[in-house]
Amino acid sequence: MIVSYGGMAALGIPAYLFLRSRRWLSLWIAVVVGFVAGGFMIFVFGALLALLLDQGWRGVVAIVVDRNIFKDIIWPGGPMGAVTAAVFWLIARPELAKH
């Protein structure tokens, strides 16, 4: 959960502010951005975990090269990010916000 909150703070809030400033307020845009951000954060978390476990940069490269990047990295993070973005969109309802 802490990693999810960190990802939301690091990528989600700036992405929301950017999309809102451009008036790109549809649900499908939020879901796509959430998918990409979720996949990226899972990759970053995996790389940091490899470094913390003293695998060094070889461990980070192994995450990308030796593993199926879609199945092992992007698959769990992407859908979680997409669902999180959709729920946030439903709560924030940017088209109803008064500017």
Side-chain angles (χ1 to χ4, degrees):
M1 295 266 303
I2 293 171
V3 174
S4 298
Y5 291 132
M8 180 61 100
L11 293 177
I13 293 171
Y16 171 73
L17 294 174
F18 174 78
L19 293 173
R20 189 178 69 179
S21 71
R22 301 269 191 263
R23 298 203 184 268
W24 296 342
L25 305 175
S26 63
L27 175 62
W28 73 269
I29 292 175
V31 169
V32 168
V33 170
F35 187 92
V36 171
F40 179 74
M41 285 309 296
I42 285 289
F43 174 76
V44 168
F45 176 71
L48 290 174
L49 188 62
L51 289 174
L52 289 174
L53 295 175
D54 290 331
Q55 294 178 2
W57 288 106
R58 286 191 178 151
V60 175
V61 172
I63 289 173
V64 176
V65 176
D66 295 340
R67 303 176 89 187
N68 182 344
I69 194 164
F70 182 76
K71 186 181 113 203
D72 294 339
I73 297 173
I74 296 175
W75 173 245
M80 287 188 290
V83 169
T84 303
V87 169
F88 180 79
W89 183 87
L90 288 170
I91 292 169
R93 296 302 305 247
E95 74 277 4
L96 299 178
K98 295 179 182 174
H99 297 282

